[in-house]
Amino acid sequence: MGTPNAVARDYYGILGVSRGASDDEIKRAYRKLARQYHPDVNPDPEAQEKFKEINAAYEVLSDDQKRQIVDLGGDPLAPGGGGAPGGAGPFVGFQDIMDAFFGGAGGGAGRGPRPRTRPGSDAIIRLELDLNETAFGVEAPITVDTAVLCTTCSGAGTAAGTHPATCDACGGRGEVQSVQRTFLGQVMTARPCTVCSGHGSTIPNPCGTCAGDGRVRTRRSLTVKIPAGVEDGMRIRLAQQGEVGPGGGTPGDLYVEIHERPHDVYSRKGDDLHCRVTVPMTAAALGTRLTIKTLDSEEAVEVKAGTQPGSTLRLRARGVPHLRGTGRGDLYVHLDVRTPTKLDGAQEQILRDFAKSRGEEVAELSKQGGFFSRMRDAFNGHG
Ligand SMILES: [Zn+2]
Ligand SMILES: [Zn+2]
């Protein structure tokens, strides 16, 4: 076998297995090396060469005919060496590379049956909280409706004393192969078995509680600890409190999404709070003392004489505690100055006298029919 100048490669040595290695040993050795030298994992150009070698060795040793050629001292991949032309092309052993990386468990051609037990999915619930609760934290009782492990069959899905049966349709492989003729020749395709949904087995006597799913839906009550300073829209993750997977698989996580109810007095921006307080014009002019209700208690604050409409008082560290680190946001009190709307005769006179004392001009609107009627008169030339 082989051309005279071709030295047969040591395929057993490349995979590091003995000449008597079983198919399984060869496969294991190949997967291990392929993981180590795959170009996606190992960018070293030498690793690339090594990866090609490993693939070639596996192609040869996993094929009975080619392995026989090797055992007889030949090289099935050498030019004219009696092997298939093309050698270790890019598609050689592709499925096995997939297997090596995606954990397939099947033989040479297939991926094998799909396990019945699969991880569960995550779940999410909304939790409505008041500002006091998001600000200072709370232990909130929640009720979740998720799939949980079926305790009757412990997730197996089978009725007591029974077992799954190998699927007749696929013989337990979980997939059905078919041969199609194309211009490239015969192409083997495999699709999941529809009888067993790819599991390779059926459950002839399903558990009466879960109908074979290994899990049941139920309502559970649990308590979630909400830390101080959470914000609207944040999610708290409770590991493995989500849905149990089919066949009793590991539960997913449960996410609790915080929704903060609007507050009567405060609006929240990050950890700062804002509120509006109305003060009479006279208080704004003369100064006053206000009692502000904070999240914690009540606090007296001073409004300075001559305060303008729209001014803001800042109460440091009276906002929401920071979720990360220490300290708190601030409380901003926005001051609205209210102008009196109904004045009796005496009050009006006082204000007029006050304006006069400051040299401010005040028109006598009430006696002239108001501002707009004066405007009209002015335009009509009656003014
Ligand atoms: Zn089947
Ligand atoms: Zn069950």
Side-chain angles (χ1 to χ4, degrees):
M1 288 287 167
T3 47
N5 56 352
V7 177
R9 281 186 280 176
D10 178 13
Y11 291 115
Y12 289 104
I14 290 168
L15 291 187
V17 294
S18 72
R19 289 197 159 255
S22 70
D23 288 351
D24 262 342
E25 281 168 27
I26 287 168
K27 196 180 196 66
R28 265 203 303 278
Y30 165 69
R31 283 187 183 168
K32 194 172 159 227
L33 290 168
R35 278 199 189 92
Q36 192 179 339
Y37 289 103
H38 190 278
D40 286 351
V41 181
N42 195 334
D44 185 351
E46 268 186 49
Q48 244 175 67
E49 274 315 299
K50 182 86 178 154
F51 186 64
K52 275 188 205 162
E53 253 187 2
I54 293 160
N55 276 310
Y58 183 68
E59 189 207 348
V60 169
L61 297 184
S62 61
D63 181 304
D64 284 349
Q65 278 185 325
K66 288 178 188 162
R67 188 172 175 181
Q68 204 177 1
I69 295 169
V70 173
D71 290 343
L72 293 170
D75 185 347
L77 298 185
F91 297 108
V92 166
F94 179 72
Q95 186 58 58
D96 292 293
I97 293 171
M98 300 301 280
D99 282 351
F101 281 91
F102 300 106
R111 263 148 291 183
R114 290 198 307 150
R116 243 173 227 291
T117 303
R118 295 202 306 281
S121 44
D122 296 338
I124 184 166
I125 66 157
R126 283 170 65 107
L127 178 62
E128 298 228 336
L129 295 174
D130 291 328
L131 177 61
N132 265 303
E133 297 171 318
T134 56
F136 298 121
V138 67
E139 293 203 353
I142 54 170
T143 306
V144 286
D145 196 345
T146 59
V148 298
L149 186 73
C150 173
T151 48
T152 308
C153 64
S154 303
T158 48
T162 70
H163 297 281
T166 303
C167 174
D168 293 333
C170 62
R173 284 188 305 275
E175 59 182 23
V176 179
Q177 292 179 339
S178 59
V179 177
Q180 286 180 306
R181 282 176 200 286
T182 72
F183 67 96
L184 291 170
Q186 291 191 339
V187 173
M188 187 93 110
T189 57
R191 54 180 174 76
C193 172
T194 51
V195 175
C196 62
S197 306
H199 297 311
S201 64
T202 57
I203 295 181
N205 304 295
C207 164
T209 308
C210 64
D213 196 29
R215 53 183 184 164
V216 287
R217 289 208 81 78
T218 195
R219 217 164 246 269
R220 285 181 295 146
S221 296
L222 45 146
T223 304
V224 52
K225 218 180 142 114
I226 308 293
V230 293
E231 246 180 283
D232 190 70
M234 278 182 177
R235 289 175 179 187
I236 291 166
R237 176 172 161 270
L238 303 180
Q240 299 207 353
Q241 292 287 353
E243 308 270 354
V244 161
T250 318
D253 298 332
L254 175 66
Y255 289 90
V256 178
E257 192 174 270
I258 307 291
H259 288 265
E260 189 182 275
R261 295 191 192 101
H263 192 272
D264 291 344
V265 174
Y266 304 115
S267 62
R268 179 173 172 181
K269 285 192 181 97
D271 289 338
D272 292 334
L273 296 175
H274 295 259
C275 68
R276 305 194 79 82
V277 170
T278 303
V279 293
M281 179 185 80
T282 44
L286 301 170
T288 190
R289 201 171 270 275
L290 295 175
T291 302
I292 301 288
K293 220 179 148 197
T294 66
L295 283 181
D296 312 75
S297 60
E298 293 191 333
E299 218 156 298
V301 293
E302 193 177 305
V303 176
K304 286 199 174 63
T307 289
Q308 300 297 313
S311 351
T312 305
L313 300 173
R314 179 179 176 195
L315 279 64
R316 282 179 191 275
R318 290 294 177 269
V320 174
H322 299 311
L323 178 62
R324 293 177 188 87
T326 53
R328 294 173 65 167
D330 301 328
L331 170 59
Y332 291 89
V333 180
H334 300 267
L335 294 172
D336 288 335
V337 175
R338 192 177 58 228
T339 305
T341 48
K342 281 177 189 152
L343 300 173
D344 65 21
Q347 290 164 343
E348 184 181 339
Q349 197 50 57
I350 290 166
L351 278 183
R352 286 190 184 285
D353 291 345
F354 172 74
K356 206 172 173 185
S357 74
R358 291 173 61 85
E360 293 166 357
E361 200 180 316
V362 180
E364 303 234 352
L365 298 184
S366 53
K367 287 163 194 166
Q368 293 188 9
F371 179 73
F372 285 103
S373 93
R374 270 204 308 141
M375 286 287 286
R376 194 173 56 233
D377 289 347
F379 278 111
N380 291 343
H382 299 299

